């Protein structure tokens, strides 16, 4: 599963990021060093008031389900499932007298047992959560029974839950069931993880329960249905419905069972004669190949690098509305939230290909080999996160992959600021709590650490062994360890104990002494975390004329000193320059070494870390640094290096402004990556005064194909001269993009010209939801800045119905606040007229009108507040 969390570069913060984020982080960690202690004036206590989290081992296995057959019909109006489930099962380890199935909120109609081809009605007990079936005699391990349950499920009536990764626990969802929401298709889809599929079929809802399955779905003939496995046949029923028969012959976990039903457009592709289909909204049908088109190449790449071919019958991807998570790796039928649907123009600013790669890699790590319990969820999610890195390196190169890896580290460290946890956690409140940046991003980084520890060849051979040995079964981290030990011949328990079962990470200072007399480099490594030392290998890279020398250092003490004998003195040296380590590091070395690293190292990660360090060192040679930055802007091949070089110009004194501006303008005109063009615009804004000549670059950017660049230019022009910007944004009203319309509304509001009233009147009803809320706030701000009765009259006309009828309470509150501002304006106008010693007949007439407006508005505001109060 991929949470809908994205760590795309925040362009507005990239300039700040040019300062070492690790250094900034370290300063905030009070109490980690003796120089930065936590001072207490109370005595130490040996107990804690914090309640320990409950211990949750893997569920005991009493019953083993071999096969599941579902026959399902649906009542859209009532949001009901009319089902018959047949489960073929046996005792798992020892004889059983009862069968306990998870079944939440069902109406049970009939339970039957089939034993030796004899069908009999079964006795059962049901408490709305557990269905206990009483057996007529003890069922042994070698006995096979079939249990059939006829039932009605009402998942919409179940408690939704409040998970962070999965926002609802109902299991099955009816979207626009009555068909009365304009613009919203009717759909039914499932979300089984963690233990939610028991909301629509009876099962043993645990991750280590695996079985084959058959699913019969009776749906309206206007709809398409999807489930796991292969579509065997469809039967028209003659009553406006059709029954589709889906069969999966390979076993998988209960939470991976899925269905999706709706009016989808289907775009068909294939890989090695297997169907690879994309189910999307009709308006995105023409873009489906651009959204998902790399999937066959991903299938080939992962099958090859793992030396284990994609095992499942097909690979379909389905986009649904109102999905309760980001995406879900249901076996052979991934569900995505509709955020993945983008137009080609939107894709210029970044795609969601990392999500697509993540869910596909799960089909080996999560679907084929599955974490035995939720405590081990990083065995699914950490691997899937690392699958994103592997794809990035294969498709887009090592610099892009290392950047992706650095984002994962930053994401984990951000969460670790408040609390660190081991990857394998048997103590937790709710399973959903485990779907965090430790399980995902730290888990992926630990897999990368394992790769670096054993080497590429052994790593991928170990993964193949792990997959082959444990295929179609459930695992713990020990299974991975044993496979790696089998392949490498090494004892790796220390690695797994440290990185999977211990919390935290190394917090490291690195310092050097280069001794030219003895041709030695002394490397001092200090671990500053309060816990005991971590043990790890780390690469030290040294420049050696036109080549690089790498030394693999072993660190296992809180304070380590390594002496490296040199043949020649290096111009530069760096520890972990590519950012492979899972740590926080503060590397201290002379600025001349950083500058040599910047100019001579080939990879972006090492260049970026050098720029961060140089930016913070006031002893830099500014003239040399300017030349190096401009050279990077003009000649480096990787977008992030150019973006960071652009941002680093702001740390350089004595700039040759004309030369820098020319370089930035050239970058804006020629750079393919929109993120870099946007950064260059922001730097240009900081370096040039606000006048018409200097605004030309920003005005030109309003014709850029990238929405990101457009929004950046709009933001700059709004801050420089909003009224002047209005002359250049008229063409944006032709764009079918709500964000651009909102940027236009901000600019009109900032300027506050009476001529902008027509803009607000024409667009007042064009937006819905949060977009409408933002637009209305701009309208109110515009009225305040314009401060004219005509504008407030228009504002009142628009806001009055919203204050009374808008469904969203926060939108109503916003409307009421706007109306209160209008009422205050009318009151101030009344007060101004009344303050005159002499009042003309025209003023008397206007005074009556204003009083009437104020009184009517006050009554309306009171009515709106009363409605809100009644709802509360």
């Amino acid at each position: 599963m991929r949470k809908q969390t994205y760590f795309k570069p925040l362009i507005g913060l990239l300039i700040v990021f040019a300062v070492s984020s690790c250094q900034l982080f370290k300063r905030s960690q009070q109490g980690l060093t003796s120089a930065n202690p936590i001072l207490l004036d109370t005595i130490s206590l040996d107990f804690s008031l914090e309640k320990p989290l409950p211990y949750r081992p893997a569920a005991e296995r009493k019953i083993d389900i071999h096969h599941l057959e579902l026959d399902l019909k649906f009542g859209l109006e009532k949001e009901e499932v009319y089902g018959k489930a047949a489960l073929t099962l046996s005792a798992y380890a020892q004889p059983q007298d009862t069968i306990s199935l998870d079944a939440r909120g069902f109406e049970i109609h009939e339970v039957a047992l089939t034993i030796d081809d004899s069908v009999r009605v079964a006795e059962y007990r049901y408490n709305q959560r557990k269905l206990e079936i009483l057996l007529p005699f003890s069922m042994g391990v070698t006995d096979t029974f079939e249990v059939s349950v006829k039932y009605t499920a009402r998942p919409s009536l179940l408690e939704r839950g409040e998970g962070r990764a999965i926002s609802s626990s109902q299991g099955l969802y009816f979207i626009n069931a009555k068909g009365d929401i304009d613009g919203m298709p009717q759909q039914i889809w499932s979300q089984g993880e963690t233990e939610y599929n028991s909301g629509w079929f009876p099962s043993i809802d645990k991750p280590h329960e695996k079985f084959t399955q058959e699913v019969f779905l009776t749906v309206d003939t206007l709809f398409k249905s999807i489930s796991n496995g292969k579509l065997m046949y469809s039967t028209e029923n003659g009553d406006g419905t059709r029954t589709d028969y889906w069969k999966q012959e390979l076993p998988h976990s209960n939470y991976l069972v899925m269905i999706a039903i709706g009016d989808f457009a289907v775009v068909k592709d294939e890989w090695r004669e297997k169907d690879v289909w994309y189910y999307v909204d009709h308006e995105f049908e023409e873009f489906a190949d651009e959204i998902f088109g790399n999937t066959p190449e991903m299938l080939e790449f992962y099958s090859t690098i793992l030396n284990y071919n994609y095992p499942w019958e097909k690979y379909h991807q389905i986009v649904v509305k109102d999905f309760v998570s980001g995406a879900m790796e249901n076996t052979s039928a991934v569900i995505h939230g509709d955020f993945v649907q983008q137009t080609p123009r939107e894709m210029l600013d970044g795609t969601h290909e990392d999500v697509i790669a993540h869910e596909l890699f799960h089909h080996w790590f999560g679907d084929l080999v599955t974490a035995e319990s939720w405590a081990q969820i990083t065995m699914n999610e950490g691997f899937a996160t690392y699958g994103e890195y592997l794809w990035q390196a294969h498709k887009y190169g090592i610099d892009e992959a290392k950047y992706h890896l650095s984002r994962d580290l930053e994401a984990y460290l951000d969460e670790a600021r408040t609390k660190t946890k081991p990857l394998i956690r048997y103590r937790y409140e709710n399973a959903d709590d485990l779907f965090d940046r430790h399980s995902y991003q730290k888990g992926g980084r630990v897999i990368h650490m394992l790769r670096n520890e054993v080497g590429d060849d052994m790593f991928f051979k170990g993964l193949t062994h792990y997959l082959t040995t444990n295929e179609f079964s459930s695992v713990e981290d020990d299974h991975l360890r044993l496979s790696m030990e089998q392949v490498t011949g090494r004892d790796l328990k220390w690695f797994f104990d440290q990185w999977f079962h211990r919390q935290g990470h190394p917090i490291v200072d690195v310092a050097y002494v280069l001794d030219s007399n003895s041709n030695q480099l002394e490397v001092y490594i200090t671990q500053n975390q309060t816990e005991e030392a971590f043990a790890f290998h780390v690469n030290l890279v040294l420049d050696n004329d036109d080549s690089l020398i790498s030394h693999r250092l072993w660190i296992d003490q809180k304070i380590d000193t390594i002496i490296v004998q040199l043949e020649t003195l290096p111009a530069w040296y760096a520890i972990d320059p590519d950012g492979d380590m899972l740590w926080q590091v503060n590397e201290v070395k002379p600025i001349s070494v950083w500058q040599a690293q910047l100019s001579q190292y080939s990879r972006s990660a090492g260049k970026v870390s050098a720029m961060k360090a140089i930016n913070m060192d006031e002893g830099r040679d500014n003239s040399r640094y300017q030349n190096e930055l401009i050279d990077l802007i003009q000649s480096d091949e990787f977008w992030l290096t150019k973006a960071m070089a652009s941002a680093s110009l702001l740390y350089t004194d004595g700039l040759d402004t004309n030369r820098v501006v020319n370089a930035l303008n050239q970058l804006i005109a020629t750079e393919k990556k929109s993120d870099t063009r946007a950064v260059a615009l922001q730097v240009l804004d900081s370096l040039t005064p606000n006048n018409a000549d200097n605004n030309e670059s920003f005005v030109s950017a309003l014709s850029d194909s990238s929405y990101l660049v457009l929004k950046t230019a709009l933001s700059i022009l709004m801050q420089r001269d909003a009224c002047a910007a209005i002359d250049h944004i008229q063409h944006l009203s032709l764009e079918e993009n709500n964000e651009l319309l909102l940027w236009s509304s901000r600019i009109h509001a900032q300027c506050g010209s009476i001529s902008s009233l027509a803009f607000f009147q024409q667009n007042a009803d064009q937006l819905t939801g949060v977009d409408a809320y933002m637009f209305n706030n701009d309208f109110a701000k515009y009225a305040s800045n314009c401060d004219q009765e005509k504008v407030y009259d228009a504002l009142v006309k628009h806001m009055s119905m919203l204050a009374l009828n808008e469904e969203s309470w926060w939108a109503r509150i916003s409307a009421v606040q706007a109306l209160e501002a209008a009422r205050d304006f009318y009151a101030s106008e009344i007060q101004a007229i009344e303050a005159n010693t002499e009042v003309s007949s025209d003023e008397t007439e206007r005074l009556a009108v204003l009083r009437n407006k104020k009184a009517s508005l006050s009554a309306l505001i009171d009515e709106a507040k009363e409605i809100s109060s009644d709802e509360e």
Side-chain angles (χ1 to χ4, degrees):
M1 181 187 68
R2 185 62 145 80
K3 300 187 291 184
Q4 193 173 341
T5 304
Y6 310 107
F7 303 103
K8 283 184 62 59
L10 299 176
I11 298 304
L13 298 179
L14 186 53
I15 294 172
V16 176
F17 186 63
V19 181
S20 171
S21 56
C22 291
Q23 289 178 343
L24 291 176
F25 172 70
K26 187 178 177 184
R27 293 189 192 116
S28 71
Q29 301 302 289
Q30 189 177 23
L32 293 186
T33 69
S34 58
N36 190 20
I38 297 175
L39 301 178
L40 300 178
D41 59 358
T42 58
I43 60 172
S44 298
L45 300 178
D46 294 328
F47 63 90
S48 171
L49 295 178
E50 184 177 348
K51 182 180 178 181
L53 293 170
Y55 179 72
R56 301 192 186 279
E60 181 182 1
R61 299 195 66 182
K62 296 182 178 180
I63 300 296
D64 187 14
I65 299 175
H66 307 296
H67 185 73
L68 169 71
E69 180 181 313
L70 296 176
D71 189 346
L72 306 177
K73 300 178 177 63
F74 305 91
L76 277 172
E77 285 286 328
K78 295 183 178 181
E79 301 187 16
E80 293 180 333
V81 182
Y82 311 119
K84 179 181 179 181
L87 299 90
T88 304
L89 41 77
S90 60
Y92 182 77
Q94 52 188 335
Q96 300 294 325
D97 297 322
T98 61
I99 297 169
S100 179
L101 300 177
D102 298 299
R104 297 181 295 128
F106 289 10
E107 180 182 347
I108 305 295
H109 304 302
E110 179 181 291
V111 180
L113 291 171
T114 301
I115 305 172
D116 296 331
D117 297 326
S118 175
V119 180
R120 65 181 73 183
V121 175
E123 295 184 42
Y124 65 89
R125 296 188 292 263
Y126 182 55
N127 65 1
Q128 292 297 304
R129 295 195 64 84
K130 291 282 188 180
L131 176 60
E132 299 282 346
I133 302 168
L134 310 178
L135 299 178
F137 53 83
S138 184
M139 176 174 59
V141 175
T142 59
D143 298 326
T144 300
F145 290 6
E146 181 182 283
V147 173
S148 64
V149 183
K150 291 183 179 179
Y151 63 95
T152 298
R154 301 180 179 90
S156 299
L157 298 182
L158 296 173
E159 194 172 317
R160 285 188 62 89
E162 297 179 352
R164 291 177 299 171
I166 307 147
S167 61
S168 177
S169 57
Q170 293 171 338
L172 191 73
Y173 301 85
F174 292 80
I175 305 302
N176 194 16
K178 295 180 174 60
D180 55 358
I181 302 176
D182 291 339
M184 178 68 74
Q186 289 183 294
Q187 294 178 350
I188 304 171
W189 46 260
S190 63
Q191 166 55 34
E193 196 173 34
T194 51
E195 298 174 6
Y196 304 147
N197 272 342
S198 53
W200 58 283
F201 68 87
S203 62
I204 297 176
D205 211 348
K206 300 298 177 184
H208 56 31
E209 190 61 55
K210 294 201 171 199
F211 45 75
T212 57
Q213 71 179 58
E214 297 170 89
V215 178
F216 295 84
L217 297 173
T218 299
V219 301
D220 191 299
T221 54
L222 296 176
F223 293 152
K224 294 177 177 65
S225 82
I226 309 98
S227 189
N228 314 93
K230 195 169 186 177
L231 179 62
M232 305 305 292
Y233 60 77
S234 297
T235 303
E236 297 284 344
N237 299 319
D239 60 356
T241 67
R242 183 189 71 253
T243 300
D244 296 335
Y245 169 38
W246 294 86
K247 183 178 183 180
Q248 180 167 295
E249 296 183 341
L250 299 173
H252 69 155
S253 294
N254 190 84
Y255 73 90
L256 297 169
V257 177
M258 70 79 65
I259 62 171
I261 298 164
D263 178 19
F264 302 102
V266 183
V267 176
K268 298 181 179 182
D269 208 334
E270 66 174 16
W271 172 80
R272 294 191 188 179
E273 299 183 351
K274 292 187 177 186
D275 291 338
V276 179
W277 294 1
Y278 318 127
Y279 294 74
V280 297
D281 291 346
H282 286 278
E283 57 266 36
F284 285 90
E285 180 177 6
E286 62 180 308
F287 310 132
D289 277 331
E290 292 183 70
I291 297 168
F292 296 112
N294 282 334
T295 302
E297 185 181 345
M298 288 182 186
L299 284 160
E300 186 65 33
F301 167 66
Y302 287 144
S303 295
T304 301
I305 199 170
L306 296 172
N307 195 24
Y308 192 111
N309 289 335
Y310 176 81
W312 310 101
E313 292 93 333
K314 68 170 190 305
Y315 192 67
H316 289 180
Q317 296 177 81
I318 307 98
V319 179
V320 303
K321 297 296 186 185
D322 293 346
F323 195 45
V324 293
S325 186
M328 181 64 207
E329 66 271 15
N330 310 299
T331 311
S332 78
V334 167
I335 289 182
H336 293 281
D338 63 1
F339 67 90
V340 300
Q341 294 184 142
Q342 296 174 285
T343 66
R345 187 173 182 186
E346 290 169 332
M347 284 185 267
L348 294 174
D349 297 325
T351 70
H352 299 293
E353 199 169 81
D354 54 345
V355 179
I356 295 169
H358 182 107
E359 303 309 325
L360 177 53
F361 207 57
H362 263 311
H363 281 70
W364 287 267
F365 299 94
D367 296 8
L368 178 67
V369 177
T370 308
E372 178 187 53
S373 69
W374 304 118
Q376 297 270 344
I377 194 58
T378 197
M379 300 304 294
N380 295 358
E381 298 300 348
F383 264 111
T385 302
Y386 194 59
E388 302 171 30
Y389 168 81
L390 294 175
W391 171 251
Q392 292 282 331
H394 165 76
K395 185 67 175 177
Y396 303 108
I398 195 63
D399 279 340
E400 193 70 55
K402 295 297 185 184
Y403 170 62
H404 191 89
L405 201 65
S406 72
R407 286 161 53 199
D408 284 345
L409 179 61
E410 289 295 328
Y412 157 67
L413 291 177
D414 182 65
E415 185 172 85
R417 284 181 174 89
T418 55
K419 192 167 187 178
T420 58
K421 314 160 219 179
L423 288 183
I424 308 300
R425 285 168 272 169
Y426 284 95
R427 291 192 178 275
Y428 57 88
E429 197 66 51
N430 299 301
D432 187 67
D433 297 339
L434 303 174
F435 290 78
D436 57 16
R437 297 180 185 181
H438 282 67
S439 295
Y440 283 72
Q441 283 85 5
K442 184 183 181 181
R445 292 286 309 212
V446 167
I447 299 301
H448 189 64
M449 292 282 289
L450 178 61
R451 176 181 178 178
N452 289 336
E453 179 61 37
V454 302
D456 280 9
D457 184 53
M458 292 292 100
F459 175 74
F460 287 107
K461 285 181 178 177
L463 293 188
T464 304
H465 185 279
Y466 171 70
L467 293 171
T468 304
T469 304
N470 302 292
E471 59 186 2
F472 307 112
S473 64
S474 55
V475 297
E476 300 177 343
D477 60 298
D478 282 335
H479 292 84
L480 177 63
R481 175 178 61 82
L482 292 171
S483 284
M484 289 293 172
E485 290 178 343
Q486 178 68 29
V487 167
T488 63
R490 294 175 55 187
D491 185 337
L492 293 169
K493 194 171 189 309
W494 67 271
F495 182 96
F496 281 78
D497 284 349
Q498 174 175 273
W499 293 110
F500 283 86
H501 294 271
R502 175 181 169 183
Q503 66 186 30
H505 54 272
I507 301 174
V508 176
D509 286 329
V510 181
Y512 307 88
V513 173
L514 182 61
D515 189 338
S516 59
N517 294 323
S518 59
N519 269 20
Q520 289 181 341
L521 179 67
E522 300 173 10
V523 185
Y524 300 94
I525 298 179
T526 304
Q527 297 189 43
N528 297 312
Q529 69 277 358
T530 55
E531 304 87 1
E532 65 184 33
F534 283 82
F536 50 85
H537 283 103
V538 61
N539 284 334
L540 174 70
V541 178
L542 301 96
D543 161 63
N544 183 33
D545 295 330
D546 294 331
S547 62
L548 297 178
I549 297 176
S550 182
H551 294 269
R552 194 165 186 244
L553 309 183
W554 173 251
I555 308 300
D556 61 358
Q557 302 296 318
K558 291 295 286 283
I559 300 176
D560 259 311
T561 302
I562 310 294
I563 306 297
V564 179
Q565 196 65 44
L566 307 170
E567 294 182 6
T568 60
L569 293 180
W572 66 271
Y573 39 85
I575 199 159
D576 187 37
D578 292 328
D580 292 308
M581 290 296 298
L582 173 52
W583 66 1
Q584 289 170 254
V585 62
N586 177 36
E587 188 179 9
V588 178
K589 55 194 181 188
I591 192 166
S592 60
V593 177
W594 284 116
Q595 288 182 314
Q597 177 179 325
L598 175 63
S599 61
Q600 297 177 28
Y601 194 51
S602 60
R603 290 183 178 173
S604 178
K607 293 178 181 178
V608 168
S609 61
M611 283 185 274
K612 290 179 184 179
I614 296 170
N615 290 343
M616 296 301 295
D617 194 328
E618 295 184 359
R620 62 184 168 269
D621 181 338
N622 284 294
S623 177
R624 174 184 173 182
Y625 193 36
Q626 174 187 249
N627 291 336
E628 290 172 338
L629 293 176
I630 291 176
D631 183 60
L632 290 173
I633 289 170
Q634 293 176 334
S635 62
D636 199 272
E637 295 182 357
F638 190 54
W639 68 270
L640 180 63
T641 307
K642 288 183 280 191
M644 186 61 71
S646 300
S648 296
L649 288 168
L650 299 179
Y651 290 84
T652 308
D653 298 326
L655 287 176
D656 182 341
T657 305
N658 289 335
R659 186 179 171 208
V660 167
V661 167
N662 288 336
L664 291 171
N665 277 322
Q666 183 183 12
L667 183 64
I668 293 166
T670 60
E671 171 60 29
K672 292 182 180 180
K673 186 76 170 180
S674 61
D675 304 70
T676 306
R677 299 201 302 276
V679 169
L681 281 170
Q682 288 188 311
V683 175
L684 193 61
D685 175 41
S686 298
L687 294 178
T688 57
N690 182 7
N691 59 52
D693 290 339
N694 289 317
N695 288 348
E696 183 178 340
S697 297
F698 312 119
V699 172
S700 296
L702 295 178
S703 300
D704 199 284
S705 56
S706 159
Y707 288 129
L708 174 61
V709 174
L710 263 175
K711 289 181 285 186
T712 303
L714 287 168
S715 175
I716 293 170
L717 289 169
M718 180 178 71
Q719 297 303 322
R720 286 188 161 222
D721 189 339
C723 293
I726 290 175
D727 295 335
H728 304 291
I729 64 174
Q730 303 306 320
H731 68 287
L732 297 182
S733 62
L734 302 176
E735 299 269 6
E736 295 183 2
N737 183 284
N738 289 350
E739 284 191 81
L740 295 183
L741 180 59
L742 288 173
W743 271 107
S744 296
S745 72
R746 289 175 199 139
I747 291 173
H748 282 283
Q750 181 93 343
C751 175
S753 168
I754 187 64
S755 62
S756 293
L757 179 58
F759 167 83
F760 284 100
Q761 290 175 318
Q762 290 167 7
N763 294 288
D765 298 319
Q766 300 301 310
L767 301 170
T768 60
V770 175
D771 289 339
Y773 171 77
M774 300 294 292
F775 183 89
N776 293 337
N777 284 345
D778 288 338
F779 198 169
K781 179 181 178 181
Y782 165 67
S784 176
N785 288 341
C786 192
D787 202 36
Q788 293 195 31
E789 184 177 349
K790 180 181 179 181
V791 175
Y792 273 110
D793 289 347
L795 180 70
V796 170
K797 181 179 179 181
H798 174 60
M799 295 292 189
S800 295
M801 288 299 100
L802 294 178
L804 296 175
N805 301 324
E806 175 60 46
E807 292 183 4
S808 303
W809 63 268
W810 39 268
R812 287 202 307 273
I813 289 177
S814 176
V816 168
Q817 290 173 341
L819 294 176
E820 288 175 330
R823 181 188 60 187
D824 293 344
F825 171 82
Y826 295 144
S828 66
E829 292 293 294
I830 292 169
Q831 186 177 8
I833 295 173
E834 290 177 337
N836 294 335
T837 54
E838 295 183 7
V839 178
S840 68
S841 59
D842 288 344
E843 288 177 323
T844 301
E845 183 177 342
R846 181 166 180 259
L847 189 61
V849 171
L850 286 169
R851 286 170 175 165
N852 185 53
K853 289 178 181 179
K854 178 176 176 289
S856 300
L857 194 50
S858 296
L860 178 62
I861 292 170
D862 290 342
E863 182 181 357
K865 288 183 175 180
E866 187 175 344
I867 292 172
S868 297
S869 178
D870 290 343
E871 288 180 351
E872 292 174 4

